[in-house]
Amino acid sequence: MSEKKPDQVVFNEETQKYDASLKPYPTNLGAPAITLVETVAWKRLNAKRANEHLKSSFDELKSQYEKLVERMELNELVYNAKFSFEPIVGNIYHLYRNKSEVPFLSILSPEECRFDHLGSFRLTSEKLWEAIDE
């Protein structure tokens, strides 16, 4: 068994070599002190920023989702209405409710018709109905 080296001497017992230069930390008394960096404030600030960014992204996606659901419901309303013609892309059609409370699609404008007007719509090239503001 070998003789024990003093604490200030960096000697590796396994390799039987002096390996102070290979250590990832300082090994002599003249080396700068190891201090821990305070990260609590940094974590708190950046966690807040990240959460704000994620909430903003979530709100944007939620808004897009709500618009998509609204558009789907509108298309479902118009496609489920009664009509006996093939709508032409780009033309404006009017949705009414008859006396039996059944919705139907017509080319007649609200001024030319006495039924309950539900809205006016245009068929897009994607075969989706979009509401026309009047």
Side-chain angles (χ1 to χ4, degrees), residues 21-103:
S21 64
L22 302 176
K23 299 289 184 194
Y25 49 84
T27 58
N28 69 20
L29 295 174
I34 298 173
T35 57
L36 297 176
V37 178
E38 182 60 42
T39 60
V40 173
W42 181 89
K43 284 180 183 179
R44 192 175 299 133
L45 175 66
N46 287 301
K48 183 177 185 266
R49 286 180 181 163
N51 287 340
E52 287 171 354
H53 174 74
L54 292 172
K55 184 180 180 327
S56 172
S57 296
F58 173 78
D59 290 343
E60 185 177 324
L61 284 173
K62 183 179 174 186
S63 172
Q64 289 175 355
Y65 170 77
E66 288 169 353
K67 287 178 185 176
L68 190 61
V69 167
E70 182 181 313
R71 196 168 181 193
M72 183 192 74
E73 289 170 349
L74 182 135
N75 274 279
E76 191 173 308
L77 174 70
V78 177
Y79 273 116
N80 287 334
K82 290 190 173 195
F83 53 93
S84 57
F85 57 90
E86 185 176 334
I88 299 171
V89 171
N91 285 2
I92 296 175
Y93 298 94
H94 308 280
L95 189 65
Y96 298 100
R97 187 176 332 200
N98 64 18
K99 292 176 179 144
S100 307
E101 297 294 316
V102 176

